[in-house]
């Protein structure tokens, strides 16, 4: 792989009918964080799990921020393109189809940016506690790509208006968006796992 390569884990598929997943951790996580979640929501899927290349007080992230909820948008764009290049290289190396991103928090935000900046990199996305990644969003053409957006009603980090704005933005770009607001905070709940598993099962069935 080139210099754009990320430290990552790859686990090959054990079921031919399960879509590959791109697992994108939250702040302070690493390439091991979401492997268990990936196996819970889509048993049998190939799992591609990179580690964010930006450090904030020693904690890995996928892009820089200026303050809580305030993103360095130039960095968001650069890092999303780097991640898209990595996905392209990994697909060739491991022989997988375009993955469905499964991102939590910072990982969900970079997944949303990737959908808007390099839509061909992903087959769809599960965005867990995501925010609008770019105030000046590019005009993407998502052509019906399936997106599941799961927000927390009591999330202290992501305002309800922001997640609703993201759902509208992706819908306007042509994505097929399912947005659910759960009785939860910023952390994940069992409801997130159940909804994500059911949703990706439907996506896999429709693809078949």
């Amino acid at each position: 792989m080139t210099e754009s390569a990320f430290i990552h884990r790859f686990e090959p598929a054990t079921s031919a009918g399960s879509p590959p997943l791109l697992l994108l951790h939250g702040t302070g996580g690493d390439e091991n964080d979401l492997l268990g979640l990936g196996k819970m929501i889509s048993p049998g899927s190939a799992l591609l799990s990179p580690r964010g290349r930006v450090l904030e007080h020693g904690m890995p992230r996928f892009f820089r921020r200026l303050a809580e909820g305030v993103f360095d948008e130039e960095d968001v764009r650069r890092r999303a393109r780097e991640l898209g290049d990595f996905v392209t290289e990994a697909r060739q190396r491991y022989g997988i189809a375009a993955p469905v991103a499964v991102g939590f928090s910072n990982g969900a935000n970079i997944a949303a940016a990737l959908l808007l900046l390099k839509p061909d990199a992903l087959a769809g996305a599960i965005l867990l506690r995501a925010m609008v990644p770019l105030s000046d969003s590019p005009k993407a053409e998502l052509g019906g790509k399936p997106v599941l957006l799961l927000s927390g009603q009591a999330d202290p980090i992501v305002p309800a208006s922001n997640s609703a704005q993201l759902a509208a933005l992706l819908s306007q770009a042509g994505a097929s968006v399912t947005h659910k607001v759960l009785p939860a905070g910023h952390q994940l709940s069992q409801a997130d796992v159940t909804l994500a598993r059911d949703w990706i099962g439907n996506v896999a069935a429709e693809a078949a």
Side-chain angles (χ1 to χ4, degrees):
M1 287 204 177
T2 71
E3 66 276 10
S4 68
F6 287 64
I7 295 169
H8 67 281
R9 292 273 305 271
F10 176 75
E11 297 198 2
T14 56
S15 169
S18 302
L21 303 183
L22 173 68
L23 304 174
L24 301 168
H25 62 76
T27 301
D30 64 19
E31 66 277 14
N32 301 301
D33 257 34
L34 297 187
L35 292 174
L37 177 66
K39 291 172 183 174
M40 280 192 282
I41 65 175
S42 188
S45 282
L47 304 176
L48 178 63
S49 185
R51 182 193 302 179
R53 299 175 68 189
V54 173
L55 289 180
E56 182 181 271
H57 307 303
M59 298 185 296
R61 286 173 53 83
F62 286 98
F63 58 84
R64 289 199 303 259
R65 60 182 169 184
L66 307 176
E68 184 77 68
V70 182
F71 304 152
D72 180 338
E73 296 197 10
E74 186 178 339
D75 197 57
V76 171
R77 291 173 183 273
R78 182 162 72 92
R79 302 294 179 175
R81 291 190 180 100
E82 285 180 359
L83 182 60
D85 290 344
F86 164 74
V87 170
T88 299
E89 294 163 5
R91 287 186 58 190
Q92 293 170 348
R93 177 176 178 179
Y94 297 120
I96 59 173
V100 173
V102 179
F104 168 63
S105 192
N106 178 248
N109 297 336
I110 197 69
L114 191 55
L115 278 171
L116 294 167
L117 292 165
K118 296 194 75 166
D120 291 346
L122 299 175
I126 297 173
L127 306 176
L128 306 166
R129 311 300 186 267
M131 298 178 70
V132 175
L134 296 164
S135 57
D136 181 21
S137 293
K139 299 295 183 196
E141 179 43 68
L142 294 178
K145 283 187 198 293
V147 175
L148 175 64
L149 177 59
L150 298 180
S151 306
Q153 192 171 26
D155 191 331
I157 297 173
V158 185
S161 58
N162 191 290
S163 52
Q165 183 185 347
L166 177 60
L169 181 69
L170 293 171
S171 293
Q172 288 161 9
S176 175
V177 178
T178 302
H179 183 204
K180 295 188 179 295
V181 181
L182 307 180
H186 196 67
Q187 295 306 310
L188 300 182
S189 66
Q190 183 57 45
D192 289 283
V193 177
T194 301
L195 287 166
R197 185 175 58 226
D198 292 347
W199 179 88
I200 206 159
N202 288 335
V203 168
E206 288 175 11

